Amino acid sequence: MRARVARGIPESPGLGTVHGYFKPGHRRLDAELVVDIVRALGVDQTGAIEWRHACAVIAGRMSAASIVEVTTRLPPDSPDFVGRDTELGRLTTAAGCRVITGMPGAGKTQLALRAGHVLLRQERYTALHLVVDLRGYTTGAQPADPAAVLDAFLRVLGVPGEQVQRLDLAGRTKAFRRLIAGTEALLLLDNALDEEQIAPLLPENESSLTLITSRRRFRGLPTVPLHAFTRAEAMQHLERVLGTSRVRAEPAAATDIAELCGRLPLDLALTAAHLRRKATWSLADHVARLRSFERDEGVRTAFTASKDNLPAVPQRVFRLLALHPGADFTAADAAALGDVDVDVAADALDELSLEHLLECRTPGRYRFHDLLRIYAARLTRDEDSETERRESLARLAGHYLQVAHSATALSYPHEDTSRPRLPVPPAFDDPTKARTWLNTELPNLLALLPHDIPGYAQALSATLNHHLHTQSRNTEAANLHSRALELAVAAGDLQGEIHALNAYATAVGQLGRYDEALSLFVRAIDGARTGNHHSAEASGWYGVGEIHRAQSAYAKAEAGYVRALTLARDTGRRSLELSILIGLADSHLMQGHHDKAETGFTDALKHAADLGHSAATVEAWYGLGLLSQLRGEFETARERYRQAVDIAGEAGHTAGRLKGLRGLGHSHLMLGHHDQAAEHYEHALSLARATDNQAAEASLLSHLGGLQRRQAHYRKAEISYQQARTIAQAVGDRNIHFEALYGLGRTAHSTGDLHQAVLHHRTALDIAHELHQPTDEVRALDGLAHAHHALDHPDLARQHWTQALQYLDRLGCTAAEEVTASAIRDNLRHLR
């Protein structure tokens, strides 16, 4: 009993002794005395600490920041925990310190607890556990003072209270690190605010493990980032909480629930708890409920705690970023929205990222989680006026137009179209960087269109027209130019209407909608004549020529090109003049006028060099490669196609690169290099599909069919040819239609279906004759001759081979792709 009294514990009143602290009139409560009492009564260490805090609050001697709760036991593990295998692996194989960081509601604390329990089951870090909530983002509470946390730590480690109270922060840190050195301790510092709060609490030994959770990233500390659940993890969580049968009975509704919660663990857990309570509801009922209120409702409080932790500028930038219509954004975008310097915006984005109010998965580019975007949108509606929001979007649009103008001017210096001439300082020093910016930001540039910012769609249409064409971004181009056309018509802007018509028609033509494209070009020409816009009229006639050439109507194409050429020269449009010359040369080539074609492509190469026009250079090399291919000079064709591919790659000319790859594939095919041919065809096919270039897709399918046929993969070849035929008929491309029919005829012959072979070759021959393409007529005649010969029709076979040979002699050629004059003569000699 004396030991108790000596430590300030009173003897039992029943023994007649009352300690002085409890005498009437004594107002000071001794917290240490109370703690000793409750210990003597059997309360454990954690409970004793709770008594000390209670006494401190009653006595009024501790500020809110000085009140901390430290436990020596891990809180229970959640039975609903799912997934996070990668993150758990990183935490349970670690030593020293790991920071689990992520946006509000990502499940950081639950992950830390699960890691702690896994380690316990592995009998690791069992000597000591210290768990403390640092209240960094607890609404209505002050973050814990690290000195108070160390006070509690040291008392747990057996340091007398009076001794702890004599130590300052540095002294407590030193004492804590000395006492824990060499101990296999597990520390969980939950809900940390910043580096200043946690730095004094970190042990220096590698024998312990400290797990820190925070919404903020801490520089210099190993980090385990935590994002929203994957779709599979979200479904697994719902199955864990609700039962597998209930979830799998309504999989679509379960998926909707997960997505409506943004797959955010906190929101999903709150929703799942409600689902569990409402067991008689269907999941579809819950989907309807979730859609009846704002999606961020369940986690709004957590988001607010993070937002309120920031200075005014980052808070304002956060709100206004919700106006950005794209998936991600940069500091320059934030600066435009917020009307602040780029450096200020960059600092604000860094702060927002550190607080996990924004994600930064690619250096320099930031994005919202869906629920945070909804939350930010709510804030800007509440705190920023309609005028402020409208002005912010206008600034963003102006920023995008200026940089896009600078990028296109550097990337395509010889483009002589309707791009607006803005007094914009250069934003780039390298064309490659400029094109990269254009391609990266294109979704954001287009995402502003629905906001109907005055003049934006028309200016963007004119600025991006050439870039979208050379990059084969045909669907995006069609959408942009159609919107610009609609707005120009509504505004009565004739010049804008004409430019948009030409641009829209070009995009539509690239998508294979030839009749629609011709109609649009005719409208543009009529409007240009009405307004005396001769330069725009030249573009219209060139477009007409391009559409007719794509349809293999070469006489009509030449007529359009000739009219365009005169107007282009009269208006000084040298770049357009060069494109017209290439179109004319190609028309000559496809009609079998090889000498004219060679002269045209060679002259175009010289003009392109004078202008430094890389896109035209690519087209000229491709044309020369095709000429060599039609002459049977496959080695030369390969080298010329390689030139086109290399120059297109350097210039970022996707359309030219696609054509060059197709040509390379064909030259390798004719040289017997089947693996290389397949590689080039597949590469080009992926580009065609990625850019919605249906005509190119059909052509490449036909070429793939040719390769498969030569490899005796006849079923595959038939499928490729049929796909090519279907697309060619849909887009009205009779040239590719011929190729598909010719290939089907050869395939049918190889599989013994000779009558079908005759039918396909006869139809192909009719198309080639209508298109005035004698080299293709040679190929179809040869196919017919072989089929009739196999059917024992020698007279018909002789007739077709003789006619094919006459065509080759007239053209001055010795071959038409896989058909050679020498082979035909051999066949004629062997006919009985």
Side-chain angles (χ1 to χ4, degrees):
M1 190 64 65
R2 288 181 181 174
R4 286 177 140 191
V5 175
R7 295 185 58 197
I9 301 175
E11 295 189 24
S12 169
L15 298 178
T17 304
V18 178
H19 197 282
Y21 287 124
F22 297 100
K23 291 180 180 179
H26 191 90
R27 297 184 179 181
R28 183 183 178 191
L29 177 65
D30 191 309
E32 297 307 316
L33 171 62
V34 174
V35 169
D36 282 344
I37 292 172
V38 297
R39 281 176 178 165
L41 294 174
V43 176
D44 64 10
Q45 179 68 20
T46 299
I49 293 173
E50 293 174 358
W51 274 93
R52 178 184 293 110
H53 294 159
C55 291
V57 171
I58 293 170
R61 292 187 293 106
M62 296 178 69
S63 69
S66 299
I67 302 173
V68 296
E69 179 181 353
V70 174
T71 64
T72 56
R73 295 187 304 269
L74 283 177
D77 193 10
S78 171
D80 298 330
F81 187 93
V82 297
R84 309 303 201 187
D85 295 335
T86 300
E87 293 85 355
L88 273 173
R90 293 182 61 186
L91 294 174
T92 55
T93 57
C97 175
R98 289 294 184 274
V99 181
I100 305 169
T101 182
M103 65 179 289
K108 300 179 290 294
T109 299
Q110 292 303 318
L111 174 62
L113 290 175
R114 171 53 62 95
H117 283 282
V118 169
L119 292 169
L120 270 180
R121 289 193 291 271
Q122 295 173 350
E123 298 185 353
R124 299 169 58 204
Y125 302 107
T126 58
L128 173 68
H129 289 168
L130 295 174
V131 180
V132 60
D133 178 5
L134 298 178
R135 301 192 306 272
Y137 296 90
T138 301
T139 302
Q142 290 190 22
D145 184 345
V149 176
L150 285 168
D151 180 296
F153 281 176
L154 290 171
R155 293 173 190 273
V156 168
L157 292 170
V159 179
E162 61 273 16
Q163 184 176 335
V164 173
Q165 292 172 358
R166 288 196 295 268
L167 297 174
D168 60 9
L169 178 61
R172 294 181 186 186
T173 297
K174 183 177 179 180
F176 170 64
R177 290 173 177 170
R178 174 176 54 79
L179 289 170
I180 205 172
T183 303
E184 290 189 350
L186 174 64
L187 279 68
L188 173 52
L189 307 181
D190 190 31
N191 198 10
L193 178 65
D194 53 26
E195 292 93 336
E196 183 179 352
Q197 186 187 39
I198 65 167
L201 310 179
L202 299 180
E204 291 183 333
N205 63 309
E206 289 295 319
S207 58
S208 63
L209 173 64
T210 303
L211 300 180
I212 303 168
T213 72
S214 181
R215 300 180 189 180
R216 189 179 184 88
R217 294 196 314 273
F218 296 151
R219 296 182 178 90
L221 292 180
T223 298
V224 178
L226 197 61
H227 304 292
F229 276 148
T230 64
R231 185 168 285 107
E233 287 174 334
M235 299 302 288
Q236 186 182 358
H237 179 79
L238 288 175
E239 289 183 1
R240 180 72 58 84
V241 176
L242 304 176
T244 301
S245 59
R246 188 177 178 192
V247 172
R248 295 187 180 178
E250 297 181 79
T255 300
D256 287 344
I257 288 169
E259 295 304 320
L260 286 167
C261 292
R263 289 187 263 119
L264 194 64
L266 174 60
D267 201 9
L268 198 58
L270 294 171
T271 301
H274 186 271
L275 287 164
R276 184 157 48 188
R277 290 193 300 272
K278 299 289 186 179
T280 60
W281 287 25
S282 70
L283 297 191
D285 291 334
H286 287 283
V287 171
R289 169 184 168 270
L290 288 172
R291 285 178 172 156
S292 70
F293 52 75
E294 294 284 355
R295 286 175 56 196
D296 67 324
E297 185 173 305
V299 290
R300 202 175 301 159
T301 301
F303 293 166
T304 300
S306 288
K307 183 263 296 182
D308 289 347
N309 192 47
L310 294 170
V313 171
Q315 287 195 38
R316 180 171 178 271
V317 169
F318 175 70
R319 297 195 309 267
L320 293 176
L321 280 170
L323 301 174
H324 194 290
D328 61 2
F329 34 81
T330 66
D333 305 341
L337 283 166
D339 198 19
V340 296
D341 291 338
V342 174
D343 290 343
V344 173
D347 289 342
L349 291 178
D350 191 38
E351 283 291 315
L352 291 165
S353 176
L354 286 172
E355 292 289 339
H356 281 277
L357 292 172
L358 294 177
E359 296 177 339
C360 181
R361 299 189 184 184
T362 302
R365 304 196 71 83
Y366 299 81
R367 64 173 58 230
F368 279 111
H369 181 277
D370 286 350
L371 295 183
L372 278 163
R373 179 184 285 276
I374 293 169
Y375 174 70
R378 178 196 304 281
L379 290 177
T380 193
R381 287 195 305 269
D382 291 345
E383 301 186 32
D384 303 304
S385 69
E386 174 64 26
T387 300
E388 288 175 304
R389 298 197 301 273
R390 187 169 56 248
E391 289 174 349
S392 290
L393 276 176
R395 287 194 301 269
L396 180 64
H399 154 69
Y400 275 142
L401 283 175
Q402 286 191 339
V403 183
H405 177 274
S406 177
T408 53
L410 181 60
S411 300
Y412 312 105
H414 302 291
E415 177 199 352
D416 51 13
T417 62
S418 57
R419 184 177 64 226
R421 305 300 179 185
L422 302 176
V424 180
F428 306 95
D429 57 6
D430 176 10
T432 300
K433 293 178 182 177
R435 283 190 298 272
T436 298
W437 185 91
L438 287 167
N439 288 325
T440 301
E441 296 295 343
L442 182 60
N444 288 337
L445 295 169
L446 298 178
L448 275 174
L449 289 176
H451 292 273
D452 290 333
I453 299 165
Y456 178 74
Q458 298 93 313
L460 192 67
S461 169
T463 300
L464 293 184
N465 183 24
H466 190 69
H467 174 75
L468 293 174
H469 178 64
T470 59
Q471 298 295 306
S472 290
R473 306 297 289 262
N474 302 311
T475 300
E476 294 97 328
N479 292 336
L480 169 61
H481 301 320
S482 65
R483 183 61 179 152
L485 175 60
E486 178 185 346
L487 293 172
V489 170
D493 177 6
L494 179 60
Q495 186 169 354
E497 178 182 348
I498 296 166
H499 288 313
L501 278 166
N502 276 327
Y504 184 32
T506 300
V508 165
Q510 288 295 308
L511 290 170
R513 289 149 48 187
Y514 297 134
D515 291 342
E516 183 182 355
L518 275 175
S519 175
L520 290 166
F521 278 128
V522 170
R523 277 181 59 189
I525 291 168
D526 291 344
R529 285 174 172 171
T530 300
N532 290 318
H533 299 304
H534 301 303
S535 176
E537 185 182 353
S539 295
W541 281 116
Y542 170 67
V544 167
E546 287 287 278
I547 296 301
H548 284 310
R549 178 163 66 105
Q551 294 179 302
S552 304
Y554 297 112
K556 292 181 179 180
E558 284 190 33
Y561 287 141
V562 169
R563 300 187 76 164
L565 188 61
T566 300
L567 290 165
R569 285 172 172 167
D570 289 346
T571 54
R573 294 189 60 187
R574 295 188 63 196
S575 180
L576 179 60
E577 179 184 349
L578 180 55
S579 296
I580 295 167
L581 291 173
I582 291 172
L584 280 168
D586 188 75
S587 294
H588 292 317
L589 175 64
M590 298 311 297
Q591 293 177 88
H593 307 151
H594 290 177
D595 291 342
K596 284 185 177 180
E598 184 166 25
T599 299
F601 286 129
T602 302
D603 288 346
L605 269 183
K606 294 176 182 177
H607 287 305
D610 291 342
L611 289 175
H613 200 306
S614 57
T617 303
V618 170
E619 295 291 337
W621 275 118
Y622 176 80
L624 288 170
L626 184 57
L627 173 63
S628 297
Q629 175 183 306
L630 293 174
R631 286 174 169 172
E633 302 164 353
F634 301 119
E635 292 280 2
T636 302
R638 180 180 61 182
E639 295 310 311
R640 288 174 167 178
Y641 288 138
R642 173 56 63 189
Q643 286 276 6
V645 170
D646 290 345
I647 295 170
E650 293 173 3
H653 187 353
T654 302
R657 189 157 177 257
L658 190 156
K659 291 173 68 174
L661 286 167
R662 180 175 58 193
L664 267 178
H666 205 58
S667 59
H668 278 293
L669 174 64
M670 301 312 295
L671 289 167
H673 306 156
H674 290 173
D675 289 344
Q676 293 95 321
E679 178 184 348
H680 292 308
Y681 284 152
E682 293 287 357
H683 190 176
L685 186 59
S686 66
L687 280 179
R689 286 171 171 163
T691 55
D692 290 323
N693 193 331
Q694 289 185 292
E697 181 182 358
S699 175
L700 288 159
L701 284 166
S702 178
H703 290 323
L704 267 178
L707 172 60
Q708 291 158 347
R709 176 168 57 84
R710 285 164 175 79
Q711 294 175 311
H713 299 154
Y714 297 123
R715 181 54 185 158
K716 289 183 179 179
E718 184 181 5
I719 292 172
S720 295
Y721 284 134
Q722 289 288 13
Q723 289 176 341
R725 181 185 184 183
T726 299
I727 296 173
Q729 288 177 304
V731 302
D733 195 317
R734 291 175 60 74
N735 196 40
I736 299 173
H737 192 187
F738 164 85
E739 294 292 344
L741 285 167
Y742 172 77
L744 285 168
R746 290 288 189 182
T747 303
H749 191 149
S750 298
T751 58
D753 193 351
L754 299 175
H755 292 287
Q756 191 66 39
V758 169
L759 179 61
H760 286 316
H761 284 308
R762 171 56 63 188
T763 308
L765 179 61
D766 291 342
I767 292 175
H769 182 72
E770 291 170 10
L771 296 177
H772 306 291
Q773 294 179 182
T775 54
D776 287 339
E777 289 184 79
V778 169
R779 297 164 64 201
L781 286 165
D782 181 70
L784 273 171
H786 275 292
H788 282 299
H789 182 241
L791 287 167
D792 199 22
H793 302 157
D795 292 340
L796 287 174
R798 182 180 291 107
Q799 174 187 332
H800 294 315
W801 269 323
T802 299
Q803 189 176 358
L805 196 59
Q806 290 171 350
Y807 275 129
L808 287 175
D809 289 341
R810 192 183 311 151
L811 291 170
C813 295
T814 60
E817 295 201 22
E818 57 191 304
V819 180
T820 65
S822 60
I824 292 175
R825 292 190 180 97
D826 285 342
N827 292 331
L828 286 171
R829 281 194 297 270
H830 289 92
L831 278 176
R832 61 178 175 81

